């Protein structure tokens, strides 16, 4: 009897001990689960906070109006001898301009040949050999525009040579160029014989033939027209060539009859003729028809060089 009672007590003791262990294990698991939930909540809260911060930063950058820039496009032989004048011109205006330089292949701007840091690492890497009176000058312009258009903040594109100097300070120049939504292109109908080559027709008709200065200022829209041109530029490459130079300057065989040559200088005609061929006048003219002072606005059109010499198309 005593043995049975002892066995029963031992069994009850073991059961209670097992029950206590079970409760301890369950409590431990509950505590661990609770700890995991707290960590997950904190992590979620942190990620949510971080996500909110990133979203707010994105919205802030989206609504901040980024300032437009002018791209200064230099066509140079080698170095820029007047770089210090440009250095003073650009100083303190770093957020309002971009610089791109086209020089002969193989030439590299460094601290030994330029005194201005603004021209370091500003060369295009696909430059071509440029010869006066050849279509390679146009190709250099198109290369510069292609690089400058990559930056969406560049809204105006100014062509410059290595002998150009600024006559006014940067602020005045910037405000003047940005004050209008149009390009600045010197353009007039070239009626001199020997410039236009009839072989360029019909893609480049004679009534769209224009002449003017190479040093233009283009809006982004018109810069894209120049870069995307696949029709007018090939015609200039094939049929717009300068007259043969005298024998002691000549780099090509002189033709038998030089009177048949067309003394066409591509860079003096290309942009002006291209814009006329593309009927850009049509859109500008329609926008100005409703102004009160039509004579003044027409004069403005002549100044920027978009008159085509005939009545605009209504198509």
């Amino acid at each position: 009897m005593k043995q049975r009672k002892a066995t029963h007590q031992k069994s009850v003791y073991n059961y209670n001990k097992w029950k206590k262990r079970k409760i301890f294990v369950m409590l431990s698991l509950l505590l661990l689960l609770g700890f995991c939930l707290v960590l997950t909540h904190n992590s979620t809260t942190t990620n949510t906070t971080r996500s909110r911060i990133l979203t707010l930063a994105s919205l802030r950058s989206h609504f901040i109006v980024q300032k437009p820039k002018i791209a200064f496009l230099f066509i140079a032989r080698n170095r820029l001898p007047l770089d210090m004048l440009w250095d003073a011109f650009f100083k303190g205006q770093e957020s309002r301009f971009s610089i791109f330089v086209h020089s002969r292949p193989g030439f590299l701007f460094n601290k030994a040949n330029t005194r201005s840091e603004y021209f370091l690492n500003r060369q295009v890497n696909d430059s071509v050999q440029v010869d006066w009176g050849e279509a390679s000058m146009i190709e250099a312009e198109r290369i510069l525009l292609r690089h400058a258009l990559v930056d969406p903040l560049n809204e105006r594109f100014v062509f410059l040579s290595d002998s150009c100097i600024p006559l006014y300070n940067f602020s005045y120049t910037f405000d003047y160029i940005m004050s209008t939504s149009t390009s600045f292109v010197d353009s007039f109908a070239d009626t001199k014989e020997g410039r236009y080559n009839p072989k360029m027709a019909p893609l480049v008709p004679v009534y769209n033939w224009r002449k003017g200065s190479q040093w233009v200022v283009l809006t982004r829209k018109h810069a894209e027209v120049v870069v995307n041109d696949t029709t007018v530029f090939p015609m200039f490459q094939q049929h717009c060539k300068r007259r043969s130079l005298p024998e002691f300057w000549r780099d090509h065989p002189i033709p038998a009859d030089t009177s048949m040559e067309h003394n066409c200088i591509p860079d003096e005609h290309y942009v002006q003729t291209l814009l006329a061929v593309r009927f850009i006048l049509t859109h500008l003219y329609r926008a100005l028809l409703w102004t009160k002072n039509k004579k003044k606005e027409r004069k403005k059109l002549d100044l920027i060089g978009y008159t085509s010499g005939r009545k605009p198309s209504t198509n």
Side-chain angles (χ1 to χ4, degrees):
M1 191 71 181
K2 288 182 178 180
Q3 186 177 358
R4 182 182 293 178
K5 187 177 180 179
T7 302
H8 177 72
Q9 289 177 345
K10 186 176 181 180
S11 179
V12 171
Y13 174 77
N14 289 336
Y15 174 76
N16 290 335
K17 187 177 181 181
W18 175 83
K19 191 175 182 180
K20 289 179 180 179
R21 286 181 179 176
K22 184 178 179 181
I23 292 172
F24 176 77
V25 171
M26 289 181 67
L27 288 173
S28 299
L29 289 174
L30 287 173
L31 287 172
L32 182 61
L33 180 61
F35 183 69
C36 290
L37 289 173
V38 170
L39 287 178
T40 304
H41 175 72
N42 290 339
S43 177
T44 304
T45 303
T46 302
N47 289 335
T48 303
T49 304
R50 184 181 303 163
S51 177
R52 287 176 180 173
I53 292 172
L54 291 175
T55 302
L56 289 173
S58 176
L59 290 173
R60 182 174 178 272
S61 64
H62 178 75
F63 286 107
I64 289 177
V65 179
Q66 293 179 302
K67 295 181 179 179
K69 297 191 294 186
I70 296 177
F72 292 86
L73 314 178
F74 290 85
I75 301 178
R77 300 175 182 86
N78 296 308
R79 60 185 293 270
L80 295 168
L82 303 172
D83 52 3
M84 289 308 295
L85 288 175
W86 288 106
D87 186 89
F89 176 77
F90 290 126
K91 193 172 294 293
Q93 305 292 339
E94 286 75 7
S95 64
R96 300 207 287 173
F97 69 88
S98 299
I99 294 177
F100 298 86
V101 182
H102 182 288
S103 56
R104 64 172 175 79
F107 182 81
L108 179 65
F109 277 89
N110 53 47
K111 292 183 178 179
N113 52 43
T114 181
R115 297 163 291 175
S116 173
E117 62 179 11
Y118 294 118
F119 297 106
L120 296 175
N121 301 318
R122 302 315 308 157
Q123 285 175 271
V124 296
N125 56 10
D126 52 350
S127 62
V128 297
Q129 180 61 44
V130 174
D131 296 310
W132 178 82
E134 301 291 340
S136 55
M137 182 70 79
I138 303 174
E139 181 60 19
E141 294 178 355
R142 285 159 55 93
I143 289 171
L144 285 168
L145 287 175
R146 197 177 301 124
H147 283 273
L149 282 167
V150 173
D151 186 347
L153 294 181
N154 287 333
E155 293 190 7
R156 298 293 186 276
F157 304 83
V158 181
F159 283 110
L160 300 160
S161 76
D162 52 9
S163 59
C164 288
I165 60 171
L167 298 179
Y168 299 93
N169 63 33
F170 185 93
S171 295
Y172 180 90
T173 304
F174 184 93
D175 293 342
Y176 187 88
I177 292 175
M178 290 296 188
S179 66
T180 176
S181 60
T182 57
S183 296
F184 294 85
V185 181
D186 173 37
S187 177
F188 56 90
D190 185 12
T191 57
K192 292 182 179 179
E193 295 183 5
R195 290 279 186 165
Y196 175 76
N197 189 341
K199 292 181 179 179
M200 301 177 79
L203 294 177
V204 182
V206 66
Y207 53 75
N208 287 145
W209 186 244
R210 294 290 179 274
K211 187 178 186 298
S213 172
Q214 173 189 6
W215 314 113
V216 300
V217 179
L218 298 177
T219 63
R220 190 172 185 89
K221 176 183 176 181
H222 298 153
E224 289 172 347
V225 170
V226 175
V227 168
N228 296 327
D229 170 38
T230 58
T231 303
V232 176
F233 179 59
M235 289 292 98
F236 271 74
Q237 285 181 305
Q238 297 176 40
H239 304 300
C240 182
K241 300 180 182 296
R242 59 178 169 80
R243 184 170 294 150
S244 298
L245 295 171
E247 184 175 358
F248 52 89
W249 284 342
R250 200 166 61 237
D251 52 358
H252 299 291
I254 191 168
D257 185 3
T258 56
S259 64
M260 299 300 292
E261 288 186 300
H262 296 272
N263 194 30
C264 178
I265 311 301
D267 54 89
E268 295 179 355
H269 295 272
Y270 175 65
V271 171
Q272 292 80 358
T273 300
L274 172 63
L275 295 180
V277 169
R278 291 286 174 262
F279 297 107
I280 289 178
L281 169 64
T282 304
H283 307 290
L284 293 177
Y285 191 78
R286 284 175 181 168
L288 298 172
L289 274 177
W290 302 102
T291 59
K292 293 181 180 180
N293 193 346
K294 296 184 179 67
K295 178 181 282 188
K296 182 178 179 180
E297 295 299 335
R298 183 59 189 238
K299 184 177 181 181
K300 182 179 180 182
L301 280 176
D302 290 336
L303 175 64
I304 61 177
Y306 297 135
T307 53
S308 66
R310 61 174 184 165
K311 186 177 180 179
S313 169
T314 56
N315 295 331

